[in-house]
């Protein structure tokens, strides 16, 4: 029978009315997909509290991933597993309710990998977009991405890394990056007047950046390079070049001691920070004046360095970018790096480390890649982290700032053109829409309305099996998951059996080797043997049977 229903697409994300990067992506993409009228859409919104009135205004279907605080059973379930805040505890229920043809996710590995372990996994097409921020990616991550039916990228570079590492097996489709709001982030008409209003000399040249004050952002290198530029750079620009760090200090995470760094390099008077006054709303650039300062506008003792992406309004942030003559993204690695794109949208030429997302973005916005001098490795993940060539940065910045203004403006024009071509939500929503059109929905009688498929664990395990053989046999005959017989999960179980210990991991599964990385750095080792492994295999079978029963109960007769 011809099935004329619209494709059902479930987005697993952070609630679209919140202000995180994931939330913004959901809001902007879903809004545009909704307007096409071609898809039935639903959002599983994490971190959006239960019965938040803002959810009522969402025009597509929505489910909160938070528990009803007045329902102790829901709260207990929610608190029972650290993955539940990412939506795990609600996922199967929402799927059975909405019956998605396609499930879309685009968060970090440890947020979304539960989707690949879902007992309902075989019933939907999974389109996943991981942020690949360095190479190599952990084998376990690649194994998860191989399970996805379609893989998208924040960058083409990230997709290329996954293609390479999987020997071309990952089903890579296209980049679907976040877009810049090119109406808010636009070039100001008169930059010189803008600078004067901000208290800068009209002929000031400003090298700027917008970055969280966190370990992987290379503030020490950027400050050192800037100090060389004003000490040894071209005489014509030496005395009028400023460094603008729109960032936070102090921070709750390990962070750079910025006042000590600018003092060490003798550039305190030439380095500006944004101060934001929560009392009167004023935001202005100033040399460092302690963690809290007297507000220039209202005189109250309340001006602080804001969180760079959340603390100021987008209009204020656009004004900050418009004070820059060039933008520098200086980090060991990035998954995307929205500020570089927003700066380019404001017509500010971008300089960025030629690695990870930075190397991809900087080329698409017609900027200048800064070569990598060498890489170090991160102990937790084995990923390569870049250390850029600071002397090369000094040289390219010097040459650029020496150019006549007309040439610098021309470079800014090309930067904005690159954003309009590559980083708009119109383009990104179209990439998703094309993909959903290409997925042929399977008839419900093969998926959500299929006959019951209970797993009946066979506990007559043959004698004399090696750990590897035992796990393979158990996956097929106890868990009822032959598809997992050669998986990373099975490999890890065999390794831990041989070892006699397991590191556990988030979500109560022994299988998530690195899951703890995103949330918990302590690994707690416990003894591991075939009895424990058998219990886990039975848990997989139980979980499947529970949701298979529920599916059949809710299916059409
Ligand atoms: Zn004030």
């Amino acid at each position: 029978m011809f099935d004329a229903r619209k494709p059902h697409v479930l987005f697993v994300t952070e609630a679209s009315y919140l202000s995180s990067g994931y939330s913004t992506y959901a809001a902007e993409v879903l809004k545009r997909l909704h307007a096409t009228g071609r898809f039935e859409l639903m959002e599983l919104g994490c971190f959006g509290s239960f019965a938040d009135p803002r959810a009522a205004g969402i025009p597509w279907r929505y489910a909160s991933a938070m528990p009803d605080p007045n329902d102790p059973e829901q709260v207990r379930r929610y608190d029972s597993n650290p993955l539940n805040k990412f939506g795990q505890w609600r996922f199967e229920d929402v799927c059975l309710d909405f019956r998605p043809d396609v499930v879309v996710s685009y968060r970090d590995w440890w947020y979304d990998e539960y989707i690949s372990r879902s007992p309902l996994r075989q019933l939907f097409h999974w389109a996943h977009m991981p942020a690949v921020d360095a190479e190599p990616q952990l084998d376990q991550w690649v194994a998860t991405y191989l399970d996805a039916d379609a893989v998208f990228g924040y960058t083409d570079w990230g997709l290329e890394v996954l293609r390479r590492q999987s020997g071309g097996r990952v089903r890579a489709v296209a980049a679907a990056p976040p877009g810049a709001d090119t109406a808010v982030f636009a070039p100001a008409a008169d930059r010189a007047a803008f600078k004067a209003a901000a208290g800068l000399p009209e002929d000031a040249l400003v090298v700027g950046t917008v970055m969280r004050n966190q370990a992987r952002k290379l503030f020490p290198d950027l400050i050192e390079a800037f100090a060389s530029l004003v000490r040894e750079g071209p005489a014509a620009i030496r005395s009028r070049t400023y460094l603008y760090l729109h960032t936070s200090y102090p921070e709750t995470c390990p962070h750079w001691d910025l006042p000590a760094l600018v003092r060490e390099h003798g550039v305190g008077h030439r380095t500006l920070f944004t101060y934001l006054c929560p009392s009167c709303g004023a935001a202005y650039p100033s040399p460092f004046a302690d963690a809290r300062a007297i507000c220039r506008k209202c005189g109250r003792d309340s001006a602080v360095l804001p969180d760079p992406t959340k603390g100021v309004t987008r209009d204020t942030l656009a004004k900050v970018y418009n004070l820059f003559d060039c933008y520098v993204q200086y980090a060991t690695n990035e998954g995307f790096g929205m500020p570089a794109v927003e700066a380019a949208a404001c017509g500010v030429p971008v300089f960025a480390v030629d690695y990870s997302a930075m190397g991809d973005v900087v080329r698409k916005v017609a900027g200048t890649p800064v070569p990598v001098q060498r890489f170090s490795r991160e102990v937790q993940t084995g990923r390569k982290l870049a250390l850029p060539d600071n002397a090369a940065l000094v040289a390219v910045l010097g040459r650029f700032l020496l150019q006549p203004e007309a040439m610098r403006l021309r470079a800014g024009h090309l930067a904005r053109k690159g954003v309009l071509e590559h980083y708009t939500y119109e383009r990104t929503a179209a990439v998703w829409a094309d993909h959903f059109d290409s997925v042929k929905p399977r008839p419900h009688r093969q998926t959500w309305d299929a006959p019951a498929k209970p797993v009946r664990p066979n506990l007559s395990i043959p004698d004399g099996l090696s750990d590897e053989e035992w796990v393979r046999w158990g996956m097929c005959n106890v868990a009822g998951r032959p598809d997992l017989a050669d998986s990373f999960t099975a490999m890890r179980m065999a390794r831990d059996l041989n070892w006699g210990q397991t590191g556990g991991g988030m979500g109560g599964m022994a299988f998530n080797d690195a899951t703890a990385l995103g949330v918990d750095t302590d690994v707690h080792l416990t003894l591991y043997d075939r009895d424990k492994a058998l219990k886990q295999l039975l848990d997989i079978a139980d979980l499947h049977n529970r949701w298979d029963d529920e599916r059949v109960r809710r299916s059409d007769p």
Side-chain angles (χ1 to χ4, degrees), residues 277 280 295 298:
C277 172
C280 72
C295 171
C298 72

Side-chain angles (χ1 to χ4, degrees), residues 20-87:
S20 74
Y22 294 134
S23 299
T24 305
Y25 191 91
E28 297 297 330
V29 170
L30 282 166
K31 184 165 78 186
R32 288 166 174 85
L33 292 173
H34 181 71
T36 68
R38 281 150 56 195
F39 311 105
E40 202 64 54
L41 301 167
M42 182 163 187
E43 166 189 347
L44 174 56
C46 299
F47 304 114
S49 55
F50 186 84
D52 189 306
R54 288 172 291 180
I58 297 176
W60 47 86
R61 288 177 68 177
Y62 171 84
S64 165
M66 300 275 286
D68 178 349
N70 298 314
D71 183 336
E73 174 54 21
Q74 277 196 21
V75 173
R76 189 198 60 76
R77 274 185 67 200
Y78 181 80
D79 289 342
S80 69
N81 185 321
L83 292 179
N84 286 343
K85 62 176 174 292
F86 305 135

Side-chain angles (χ1 to χ4, degrees), residues 257-279:
D257 187 343
L258 298 172
L261 285 166
V262 297
R263 208 180 321 120
E264 179 185 325
H265 292 285
V267 290
H269 60 299
R270 298 284 282 282
T271 305
L272 303 168
F273 297 85
T274 304
Y275 276 85
L276 174 72
C277 172
S279 300

Side-chain angles (χ1 to χ4, degrees), residues 17-18 59 87 100 158 179 215 230 250 362 432 494 536:
Y17 58 79
L18 297 175
V230 296
V362 75
W432 285 115
Q536 289 175 319

Side-chain angles (χ1 to χ4, degrees), residues 1-5 445:
M1 205 171 73
F2 180 66
D3 196 345
R5 70 192 151 84
R445 63 179 185 283

